[in-house]
Amino acid sequence: MSLEAIEKVSQVEAEMRDGLAAAEAQAKQLLASAEKEGQALLQRTREEAAEAGRTLLRQAEERAAAAAAKTARAAEEDAAALRKAAEKRLEAAAEFIVGRVVKH
């Protein structure tokens, strides 16, 4: 082989090594970029999930508070009805007791 051919082969080999090194560097950069984007997406997903969880919890608490208020109103209405019924019977009970006391 002539000196010129050897130099040409050496030059092509050097260009190939440079090209390979550039390709490896680009691959590493793409990998790092993809990993960074993946981590950012994971973080956003976690934050969105946490916010969704807080929203669901707040909605559940609101429903529970509404149910508790409804139950409290129903209990107050029942208590008022029982009081009225007891008040109606109170006079009859007092007359019955007075009648029993007077007879004895």
Side-chain angles (χ1 to χ4, degrees), residues 78-91:
D78 289 347
L82 289 173
R83 260 192 310 276
K84 274 189 175 180
E87 287 172 359
K88 288 180 182 177
R89 294 183 192 158
L90 182 62
E91 192 173 320

Side-chain angles (χ1 to χ4, degrees), residues 39-95:
Q39 289 295 331
L41 177 60
L42 180 62
Q43 183 62 30
R44 280 194 309 272
T45 302
R46 285 179 177 161
E47 290 169 359
E48 290 170 0
E51 180 60 32
R54 285 189 292 271
T55 299
L56 289 174
L57 181 59
R58 185 173 51 252
Q59 290 172 350
E61 288 172 344
E62 289 170 359
R63 286 193 303 271
K70 183 178 178 181
T71 301
R73 282 192 303 273
E76 288 174 8
E77 290 171 1
D78 289 347
L82 289 173
R83 260 192 310 276
K84 274 189 175 180
E87 287 172 359
K88 288 180 182 177
R89 294 183 192 158
L90 182 62
E91 192 173 320
E95 287 179 18

Side-chain angles (χ1 to χ4, degrees), residues 26-41:
Q26 185 178 12
K28 286 180 182 179
Q29 184 179 5
L30 287 172
L31 182 61
S33 177
E35 187 172 334
K36 184 178 178 180
E37 288 175 10
Q39 289 295 331
L41 177 60

